Amino acid sequence: MSVRPTAAILVAPGTNRDRDVALALDLAGADSVVVSISDLERDANVIDAAQMIVIAGGFSFADALGSGHVFALELEMLLGDRLQQAVSKGRPIIGICNGFQTLVRMGLLSNGAGPMALDHNESGLFDCRWVTLQPSSETCVWTKGIHENLECPIAHGEGRFTADAAVVSRLQSSDRVALRYVNGNPNGSVDDIAGICDESGLVLGLMPHPENHVVPRQHPKFLRQSHQGLSLDLFRNGVTHASA
Amino acid sequence: MIPQSSLHFLTLRARAEDPRQKSLVQNVHALGISSVRSIKVADLLFLRDVSTDEFSAIESIVAEPLLQMVGWNEEPHAGVVIETSLIAGVTDPVANEFLRIARKMGVGVTDALSGCRYEIEGNPTPAEIDLIVRKLLANPVIEHWAINEPVQPSFASDSAASVSTVGEYLLTHNTTDAELQALGKERALALDIEELRVVRDHYANEGRPARDVELEMIAQTWSEHCSHKTFRARITTDDGSVVEPLIAQLRRTTDEIDAPFVVSSFVGNAGIVSYEDNITFAVKAETHNHPSAIEPFGGANTGVGGVIRDVIGASHQPIACTNILCFGPSDFPVSELPDGVFHPQQIRAGVVAGIADYGNKIGLPTIAGAVLYDNGYIANPLVYAGCIGIAHEPYVVEQPQPGDRVVVLGGRTGRDGLRGATFSSMTMDATTGDVAGASVQIGDPIVEKLLIDVLGRSRHLYRSITDCGAGGLSSAIGEMAEGVGARVELSGLPLKYPGLAPWEIWLSEAQERMVVAVADTAPLFAACERYGVECIDIGEFTGDERLVVTYEGTTVVDIDTNFLHDGRPQRRLNAVMPKPDRSPMSDEAFSSVFGSLDIAATTLRLLAHPNIASKESIIRRYDHEIGGATLVRPIIGANNDGHADGVVLAEPLSSSGIAVGIGVNPWMGIIDAGRMALAVVDEAMRNVVAVGADPRTVALLDNFSWGDPQRPTTLGELVAAVDGCCQAARAFGAPFVSGKDSLNNEYFGSDNQRHAVPPTLVITAMAHVPVADAVVTPDLKQSGNVLILLGRTLCEFGGSHLAMLNNVAGGVVPSFDAKAPQRYQKLHEAILNGDVESCHDVSEGGIAVAIAEMAMAGRLGVEISVASSLINDWWYFSESCGRFILEVKPESVASIRDQFGDDAQIIGHVVNEQTVSLVNGQSLTIEEMLTSWQGTS
């Protein structure tokens, strides 16, 4: 039996889906440790010990000054280029919801593509609903080999992926659009983009919460025999890659 | 003086259309103002002591360049310009976070303050501008504003220091009632003359003047909000009999039911129950009505924060939130609103945003609720907030011991919320919104999230704990010191800004603070440091049974804790009991009152009624998915747009869970408060049983929002309702474990009319779901299945929606069905047995609405097939208690009939065709039903 990799779950004040993602990682075969801002202030090296890095969802720093923005500034000050180093060592990184917003603000996903941002939903409202996601990248280590659609909830007010046409086209042509909304785009994201990866394919950022669909019973239609799209495979992929 | 040149402000604008702009214009038009074409919104950030060479560093902190543009000291563009800024001391997370990160990044700035600029295009008249500002753009409780001139920012650090000397009032046996009443008014004590006399006599006997802080503290402790005088009062009814105090009736009922799962009831912050070894649940619901009336966002926001702290204060980890909201009708004419009252739509928008903001940010699923509309809530909306928590260790309650330290942790103390407890116990008038400003605040859910992180799983770090709610430290430490005594020094407490007087510190209702008694502070302080939670040791529990508070060594309070807690004289109140007409309605009487009904058209009108219509637009503003444990969601069905009866929480890997259901019906309460109470307990029971909970495991919460108990008829309704609660609890064997009353929900408008809320009893039921995989939802599952009605349908229309639709007042309120408890138990067994495909309780709108809701949620049709000789028009719309509609497979029908006998009646079957066919040949398509039910709002 292979050794379970360890994931560092980075949290800030206001991060709130750390427990949810810890369960997903556990079921996918990884252990996790929660690493807070104050842990990093004490010793930023703790991050180097992890085989995978997760930035969990929530409202870091209350989303004051823009979603994920202060968390990104803090991580830049505390980590320097440690996340880039992790990528160069082949370690998978995932940022979910507020974690995606944070990764975008840090510029970890824009390399080779250009500026991008997550704007207010087209409706102007926070929205909690289930969505269907089509995995669409073989470059992304998290989505490659997944051919069935995933189903999981969104819960965000600022998830509208925004970039100009040239940036989107570069993302498309380099196989970096990892997840697309199908059967309805909940927030007005350009090209129905729900998640993208970086040039290496190791870093995935996505707005929806696959960590909330890791057992079949969590699907809202589990009583209607029409439930599918278990999202655990996404985490299994990450764990497999981290174990390699 | 700070040179003006160092004060700068930046404007932050969205490059695309700001989402606020569209809704603002819609709201302006809804006010009846058509002269406004557009409103541009920019956020403002006022900064003090910054130099121009730091502008670009600041821009990188505040703006996302792809989405936003920054301007510095920018003149308004054109049109009518309104600028707002927060009043000094109001929680300002943007400014606070900016200051924190800017300093960390080495940017020099001393103060920051947020505001907003609105540029209105169009030709509004000055009166229209004034209306727009007051109704939509600014709330005087938390903001100031300027029209066509720059708003002047006021920084908290500049606010004047309060007088910090201790005031003294000499009270002797010769102090007259008039003098006492004058004192009560001067200090807004909200105490009646009997209570003031007891205070006078206490100080006369002590032989020293009363200190002002002591008087404030007594007023808080003895307020209706904190001491529940009415529920403890000696009440004499109009037939001369004396009723047992209401709280004693509820407690005795619980004691006599003696349910094995009750761990703690009516003590401390929340009710505690346990269904499995080593797991306990805490459950609590609170109201935040008055604050939500004058500042809807902040009032609801801090209501949620407060009830979550109740659960933290019961040493449980919060896992979910609930809310029940009562508003005035959304289409109420603006011109008819009483003075000083926000429009119901604006109150609703603010309340929903406030609940969403707190729950979503703190990371708790908001799972269950109800939204009700009635003219009675226009001036006095009701906001009930509930919270459920879990603990995985034995529940232990300990009192502070002499020598324990008094530790305060969490948020900083400011002038926020002063006198909240006395304020909430007073009747509101047209000026309340202006004078009560300090009573309302905006919460900081992130600070409370950190409190959960530190305390939620650290029971071993402290001996006892209380949250700071109404009355602040005064109430929290006062409660903990009861029978022990404590000595605390206030000058070391971290403050939001300087200049607070000792009484302000002691009574501040600043949010997100907890008080703990700790033998050894070191481990707790270490945990707080890791999570970034501020904490401070302010004194110790002494053992001398006196509470002594000092400020810089000067005594500001020295009071006997026994007098504080037990000195209040029992209230004596008179009640005139309601004498409702309970004679059943005949078929003929029904026909003469309601005429001949068009069943299909009436069903559509009921579906469109605001109380029955879809609440999806509100539910989706709340994260109900976080935690991954919301097994039966508030929103369900084939297209995820139907509504569940109750909700079920079950950890993803757990084989069992808990269900939560709500019962409320103020319209029945107006007519027959006693039957109403039985009916709403029954409704809450149905809602949990329908989703798969075991009816033998139900714990109940009672939350009463009532009018002035000094009015004998109002009190009589309360007495009748409590009696109904106790009867229902006994019938079901379902004990009350906690409750709260909010009285004086009345309003005097400038029209001199007295406005009171309808008697609004909210019952929350929580119960065990033994088999998570066996839960049931109301959406129809499969054509060919059979629909079965359980229970009896009677011609009872008092408080029904059919009566409301037809403006019929009065009538007989549905009676309690004595067979209901047995029926629910059998239903539970049938659900566990797998005989039930879907299940819906029959409530508002009756059978017609229940079937329509099941059909819409499942996107399947129904052919109703009851012999027309067996039913009358009223059969479709009666809101009789105790009923369910089940969908069962054909092969299960025999088993259901065996179990229920005559109590079960086949009423139709499920069809693929998207139509509900009635017995009279009429039919309704799913599409037209959805159009009515989902409407536009």
Side-chain angles (χ1 to χ4, degrees):
Chain A
M1 200 174 148
S2 66
V3 177
R4 287 162 66 94
T6 297
I9 303 176
L10 303 186
V11 301
T15 300
N16 58 27
R17 265 186 167 84
D18 42 324
R19 286 183 61 206
D20 303 26
V21 78
L23 174 67
L25 290 163
D26 181 29
L27 294 175
D31 295 327
S32 56
V33 288
V34 171
V35 178
S36 68
I37 295 277
S38 66
D39 293 337
L40 290 175
E41 281 170 342
R42 220 170 293 123
D43 179 13
N45 292 320
V46 293
I47 200 93
D48 299 333
Q51 284 85 48
M52 53 198 301
I53 296 165
V54 180
I55 308 182
F59 287 82
S60 58
F61 300 98
D63 272 3
L65 310 178
S67 53
H69 194 182
V70 176
F71 199 6
L73 293 170
E74 290 274 6
L75 288 178
E76 279 166 4
M77 281 189 281
L78 290 164
L79 294 179
D81 65 350
R82 277 190 165 82
L83 291 184
Q84 287 86 342
Q85 283 173 24
V87 172
S88 66
K89 290 177 195 158
R91 292 178 181 169
I93 297 177
I94 188 169
I96 304 170
C97 195
N98 195 239
F100 184 19
Q101 294 161 339
T102 305
L103 286 175
V104 166
R105 294 275 190 162
M106 292 178 78
L108 252 77
L109 289 163
S110 52
N111 47 8
M116 56 185 64
L118 291 155
D119 202 353
H120 290 279
N121 294 349
E122 201 169 28
S123 64
L125 300 168
F126 178 95
D127 201 13
C128 179
R129 66 175 67 242
W130 275 61
V131 294
T132 305
L133 303 173
Q134 184 179 54
S136 47
S137 167
E138 289 296 312
T139 302
C140 176
V141 304
W142 296 87
T143 56
K144 75 176 175 192
I146 303 179
H147 302 297
E148 306 224 325
N149 289 346
L150 307 179
E151 298 190 4
C152 63
I154 58 161
H156 63 243
E158 297 175 34
R160 180 183 192 177
F161 185 81
T162 304
D164 69 29
V167 174
V168 173
S169 138
R170 280 194 285 276
L171 289 171
Q172 289 163 344
S173 61
S174 52
D175 191 31
R176 287 169 59 184
V177 178
L179 294 160
R180 277 199 182 83
Y181 299 109
V182 289
N183 309 327
N185 176 340
N187 53 27
S189 289
V190 60
D191 191 30
D192 300 331
I193 290 174
I196 58 161
C197 65
D198 73 336
E199 278 185 307
S200 73
L202 287 160
V203 187
L204 171 65
L206 74 166
M207 287 312 301
H209 291 287
E211 73 274 30
N212 284 141
H213 189 199
V214 293
V215 300
R217 200 177 72 191
Q218 288 175 314
H219 195 287
K221 292 187 199 167
F222 87 102
L223 293 171
R224 299 189 66 83
Q225 276 84 44
S226 59
H227 57 287
Q228 53 201 356
L230 195 70
S231 302
L232 191 59
D233 281 351
L234 195 79
F235 296 98
R236 286 207 182 104
N237 264 352
V239 170
T240 303
H241 196 86
S243 314
Chain B
M1 274 297 284
I2 287 144
Q4 196 56 39
S5 59
S6 69
L7 177 69
H8 294 285
F9 69 90
L10 62 81
T11 47
L12 199 57
R13 290 173 198 281
R15 289 188 188 275
E17 195 194 335
D18 191 305
R20 289 172 290 187
Q21 296 177 177
K22 204 167 101 189
S23 66
L24 270 178
V25 173
Q26 282 168 354
N27 289 333
V28 168
H29 292 166
L31 287 175
I33 299 170
S34 54
S35 54
V36 168
R37 285 194 306 278
S38 76
I39 301 180
K40 290 207 172 70
V41 186
D43 291 306
L44 299 176
L45 190 63
F46 298 95
L47 302 168
R48 196 148 67 172
D49 300 329
V50 294
S51 63
T52 50
D53 42 328
E54 295 190 294
F55 281 7
S56 70
I58 289 169
E59 287 177 28
S60 75
I61 294 173
V62 299
E64 163 54 59
L66 199 61
L67 304 178
Q68 293 162 311
M69 295 173 291
V70 177
W72 285 94
N73 304 315
E74 195 182 81
E75 292 293 319
H77 289 161
V80 179
V81 181
I82 290 123
E83 290 187 356
T84 65
S85 78
L86 289 176
I87 291 173
V90 172
T91 301
D92 186 350
V94 172
N96 292 345
E97 205 47 60
F98 171 79
L99 283 174
R100 194 190 64 80
I101 194 79
R103 285 170 186 158
K104 214 166 174 176
M105 294 173 71
V107 176
V109 52
T110 57
D111 269 312
L113 183 79
S114 329
C116 222
R117 177 186 284 173
Y118 304 92
E119 291 158 304
I120 300 179
E121 283 177 34
N123 308 301
T125 63
E128 287 175 334
I129 294 169
D130 187 64
L131 191 65
I132 293 168
V133 172
R134 287 175 187 279
K135 295 287 181 194
L136 296 175
L137 303 184
N139 183 344
V141 173
I142 58 166
E143 290 161 317
H144 7 237
W145 67 86
I147 299 171
N148 287 330
E149 60 178 351
V151 71
Q152 295 302 315
S154 63
F155 294 98
S157 54
D158 296 345
S159 58
S162 300
V163 179
S164 66
T165 52
V166 176
E168 292 190 336
Y169 295 87
L170 187 63
L171 299 172
T172 71
H173 291 297
N174 297 326
T175 307
T176 64
D177 285 356
E179 288 166 334
L180 288 172
Q181 273 160 337
L183 171 66
K185 192 158 189 195
E186 179 197 328
R187 298 216 62 103
L189 301 178
L191 296 177
D192 72 10
I193 190 64
E194 281 188 48
E195 291 157 347
L196 288 166
R197 286 183 198 139
V198 170
V199 173
R200 173 195 65 195
D201 295 347
H202 175 77
Y203 282 98
N205 293 336
E206 288 240 322
R208 65 168 176 94
R211 298 181 182 96
D212 51 2
V213 190
E214 292 168 350
L215 291 177
E216 298 276 356
M217 186 175 180
I218 292 168
Q220 291 283 352
T221 310
W222 292 6
S223 68
E224 180 69 76
H225 187 90
C226 292
S227 71
H228 306 285
K229 315 191 221 218
T230 300
F231 269 65
R232 294 170 201 275
R234 179 189 162 91
I235 298 172
T236 308
T237 64
D238 50 337
D239 69 1
S241 60
V242 175
V243 297
E244 187 182 6
L246 303 178
I247 184 69
Q249 291 184 39
L250 289 161
R251 285 183 173 166
R252 187 164 56 80
T253 302
T254 295
D255 289 346
E256 288 172 10
I257 291 169
D258 195 22
F261 55 86
V262 175
V263 176
S264 169
S265 58
F266 294 109
V267 202
N269 286 307
I272 314 289
V273 300
S274 177
Y275 303 120
E276 292 167 40
D277 288 348
N278 295 318
I279 297 178
T280 55
F281 292 98
V283 55
K284 179 66 184 267
E286 274 276 13
T287 48
H288 229 209
N289 303 336
H290 291 170
S292 301
I294 62 167
E295 212 303 271
F297 180 95
N301 193 249
T302 52
V304 175
V307 78
I308 293 172
R309 278 198 308 286
D310 277 329
V311 165
I312 304 173
S315 299
H316 278 63
Q317 170 107 3
I319 54 171
C321 294
T322 62
N323 63 78
I324 295 89
L325 312 175
C326 305
F327 303 121
S330 299
D331 56 0
F332 192 79
V334 178
S335 56
E336 292 175 28
L337 282 176
D339 276 3
V341 171
F342 290 119
H343 190 268
Q345 277 192 42
Q346 202 193 351
I347 294 179
R348 180 179 66 183
V351 164
V352 169
I355 290 171
D357 179 80
Y358 214 100
N360 294 348
K361 285 183 176 167
I362 203 167
L364 291 172
T366 299
I367 51 165
V371 188
L372 286 66
Y373 298 90
D374 190 89
N375 280 341
Y377 303 121
I378 290 167
N380 198 326
L382 304 181
V383 174
Y384 299 77
C387 183
I388 297 158
I390 192 168
H392 295 272
E393 49 205 334
Y395 181 70
V396 183
V397 181
E398 276 190 274
Q399 300 307 314
Q401 298 297 307
D404 283 353
R405 305 305 302 173
V406 181
V407 173
V408 178
L409 61 167
R412 295 192 159 205
T413 300
R415 272 190 200 98
D416 15 14
L418 285 171
R419 296 183 170 141
T422 41
F423 163 59
S424 72
S425 305
M426 296 188 291
T427 298
M428 299 205 290
D429 59 34
T431 61
T432 303
D434 299 326
V435 301
S439 290
V440 179
Q441 57 224 285
I442 309 293
D444 187 341
I446 306 304
V447 170
E448 193 148 305
K449 168 77 167 69
L450 297 174
L451 283 174
I452 295 175
D453 291 342
V454 172
L455 295 170
R457 300 197 154 194
S458 305
R459 181 66 190 88
H460 58 287
L461 294 178
Y462 57 85
R463 193 190 310 276
S464 71
I465 183 166
T466 301
D467 75 302
C468 282
L473 293 175
S474 160
S475 168
I477 297 175
E479 239 170 68
M480 293 175 88
E482 185 177 0
V484 186
R487 171 176 278 273
V488 299
E489 163 63 43
L490 298 179
S491 58
L493 271 168
L495 302 180
K496 293 183 174 179
Y497 35 85
L500 270 69
W503 76 269
E504 292 176 317
I505 298 174
W506 186 235
L507 293 162
S508 162
E509 297 185 3
Q511 297 287 300
E512 289 93 25
R513 299 178 304 162
M514 305 293 296
V515 180
V516 289
V518 193
D520 174 13
T521 55
L524 176 66
F525 284 13
C528 287
E529 197 199 337
R530 180 173 182 227
Y531 288 98
V533 172
E534 278 196 317
C535 55
I536 180 163
D537 178 340
I538 63 164
E540 78 173 5
F541 292 97
T542 51
D544 65 7
E545 299 187 16
R546 287 197 79 84
L547 179 61
V548 179
V549 182
T550 58
Y551 184 80
E552 292 177 342
T554 305
T555 301
V556 295
V557 171
D558 183 351
I559 197 165
D560 177 354
T561 59
N562 298 310
F563 173 70
L564 185 64
H565 293 287
D566 303 325
R568 185 181 60 78
Q570 187 185 32
R571 274 235 160 134
R572 287 163 183 272
L573 294 168
N574 294 313
V576 170
M577 299 303 293
K579 283 134 194 116
D581 177 9
R582 290 179 172 172
S583 48
M585 195 179 210
S586 65
D587 291 0
E588 295 70 32
F590 179 86
S591 303
S592 76
V593 170
F594 291 97
S596 75
L597 290 173
D598 178 331
I599 307 291
T602 304
T603 303
L604 291 179
R605 286 177 65 206
L606 283 166
L607 289 173
H609 190 284
N611 294 330
I612 293 172
S614 170
K615 308 296 183 297
E616 181 175 356
S617 65
I618 291 176
I619 295 169
R620 296 217 183 277
R621 304 292 80 78
Y622 309 141
D623 186 347
H624 47 266
E625 297 287 346
I626 187 165
T630 317
L631 183 60
V632 174
R633 293 161 173 81
I635 203 147
I636 47 92
N639 284 27
N640 287 324
D641 58 4
H643 291 353
D645 289 334
V647 290
V648 176
L649 288 172
E651 287 292 323
L653 304 180
S654 170
S655 61
S656 62
I658 54 166
V660 181
I662 306 286
V664 56
N665 194 318
W667 305 284
M668 292 181 183
I670 293 168
I671 302 168
D672 186 341
R675 277 198 172 172
M676 175 276 287
L678 282 147
V680 299
V681 170
D682 186 64
E683 183 185 13
M685 291 289 304
R686 292 198 305 273
N687 283 334
V688 292
V689 171
V691 291
D694 183 343
R696 291 165 303 190
T697 63
V698 177
L700 300 172
L701 303 180
D702 60 82
N703 284 83
F704 294 87
S705 286
W706 232 254
D708 181 358
Q710 305 274 5
R711 190 194 296 117
T713 50
T714 301
L715 184 62
E717 289 171 343
L718 186 62
V719 172
V722 169
D723 182 59
C725 284
C726 294
Q727 285 184 43
R730 287 172 198 277
F732 286 114
F736 285 94
V737 294
S738 181
K740 204 74 191 265
D741 51 281
S742 167
L743 308 179
N744 302 305
N745 286 289
E746 304 218 344
Y747 182 93
F748 289 94
S750 48
D751 56 357
N752 270 330
Q753 294 290 309
R754 179 138 122 158
H755 306 265
V757 296
T760 309
L761 165 64
V762 168
I763 297 290
T764 306
M766 187 177 82
H768 191 225
V769 175
V771 183
D773 288 332
V775 295
V776 176
T777 53
D779 46 308
L780 294 179
K781 304 293 190 301
Q782 180 70 49
S783 72
N785 285 347
V786 178
L787 288 193
I788 290 177
L789 174 68
L790 295 184
R792 85 282 189 276
T793 303
L794 303 175
C795 189
E796 315 167 299
F797 284 88
S800 69
H801 282 70
L802 183 71
M804 256 185 272
L805 216 54
N806 291 283
N807 296 314
V808 172
V812 56
V813 168
S815 53
F816 184 72
D817 183 357
K819 289 184 183 161
Q822 197 190 2
R823 181 178 310 133
Y824 298 0
Q825 191 56 42
K826 284 185 191 166
L827 173 58
H828 178 60
E829 283 153 22
I831 286 173
L832 287 184
N833 201 35
D835 287 339
V836 180
E837 296 300 299
S838 64
C839 177
H840 192 17
D841 91 301
V842 182
S843 53
E844 289 87 354
I847 289 170
V849 166
I851 290 177
E853 287 172 339
M854 295 174 85
M856 290 187 291
R859 294 298 198 273
L860 287 166
V862 170
E863 199 171 305
I864 300 178
S865 52
V866 187
S868 54
S869 59
L870 293 178
I871 60 169
N872 207 314
D873 281 0
W874 54 258
W875 180 83
Y876 285 98
F877 305 114
S878 162
E879 297 183 13
S880 288
C881 296
R883 296 174 302 158
F884 296 91
I885 295 173
L886 315 183
E887 176 194 5
V888 303
K889 288 187 174 150
E891 57 266 34
S892 301
V893 171
S895 155
I896 293 286
R897 293 191 110 163
D898 277 356
Q899 289 172 69
F900 291 92
D902 290 345
D903 211 21
Q905 182 190 7
I906 292 177
I907 58 166
H909 59 276
V910 183
V911 296
N912 272 325
E913 192 193 349
Q914 298 288 294
T915 302
V916 172
S917 317
L918 310 178
V919 177
N920 64 5
Q922 285 187 304
S923 64
L924 290 156
T925 66
I926 302 259
E927 199 184 338
E928 64 184 328
M929 292 192 298
L930 282 170
T931 302
S932 294
W933 186 66
Q934 294 180 330
T936 47
S937 62

